[in-house]
Amino acid sequence: MSLSLSLDFQYKTSIEKLWSALTDSSKLAKWVVNIHNGQAMENDFKPVVGHRFQFRTQPTEWWNGIIEGEVLIVEAPNRLSYTWASGGEKHTVTWTLQEVGDGKVNLHLDQTGFSNAQGLEGAKYGWSKWCGELEKVLEQ
């Protein structure tokens, strides 16, 4: 059985600025951080279908510190999807951006492919924390 995560975040920003924060590797490094120590995760992300990328942080005794992915869909500035593989699990992450008026953009996250509830809850915690950091990046 495969479990899915679905979350929505709203930001007072332009859709173009939010898209850039999701697709520019230097901006990603500012909000996709190691949730244990807050350090930026180096990455080589590019919004190009077929591009393989990694997010890298310090390994721990439980994890090698690497998230591997491949870009699946790029429909600027509305939809971005990629694989997200780490710790023996491989998921699909899809972001959908939609202007909702009043200078706000809704960011919808779907992450599919979880094999257990613990992984799902961990991802929910991680993305919620990261999307709080994303808000700070958008304010810069």
Side-chain angles (χ1 to χ4, degrees):
M1 185 174 99
S2 177
L3 302 171
S4 299
L5 176 64
S6 183
L7 296 171
D8 283 279
F9 304 93
Q10 285 201 351
Y11 300 101
K12 194 157 184 69
T13 190
S14 69
I15 197 168
E16 294 81 11
K17 192 169 183 180
L18 183 52
W19 178 260
S20 178
L22 291 175
T23 58
D24 179 300
S25 66
S26 63
K27 291 178 184 165
L28 279 166
K30 293 179 181 175
W31 65 273
V32 179
V33 298
N34 181 317
I35 59 173
H36 301 292
N37 63 19
Q39 291 184 341
M41 290 179 61
E42 291 181 30
N43 71 87
D44 56 356
F45 185 87
K46 290 182 185 149
V48 176
V49 172
H51 176 69
R52 293 180 181 274
F53 62 91
Q54 288 186 335
F55 280 85
R56 295 172 297 282
T57 189
Q58 294 162 312
T60 68
E61 61 184 287
W62 305 282
W63 180 49
N64 68 0
I66 299 172
I67 298 165
E68 298 198 40
E70 180 179 349
V71 179
L72 304 172
I73 299 169
V74 179
E75 296 171 0
N78 301 106
R79 198 157 159 249
L80 176 68
S81 183
Y82 44 81
T83 60
W84 185 265
S86 180
E89 294 253 324
K90 184 175 182 181
H91 307 149
T92 299
V93 172
T94 303
W95 297 104
T96 306
L97 293 74
Q98 182 178 14
E99 292 176 320
V100 292
D102 201 26
K104 291 183 182 168
V105 180
N106 189 74
L107 179 61
H108 179 77
L109 166 70
D110 280 314
Q111 186 170 355
T112 59
F114 292 96
S115 63
N116 61 66
Q118 183 182 1
L120 178 76
E121 287 304 311
K124 184 177 182 180
Y125 171 80
W127 287 118
S128 296
K129 191 166 175 69
W130 283 341
C131 286
E133 294 297 317
L134 172 56
E135 188 163 24
K136 295 174 191 171
V137 170
L138 293 170
E139 290 169 354
Q140 294 176 357

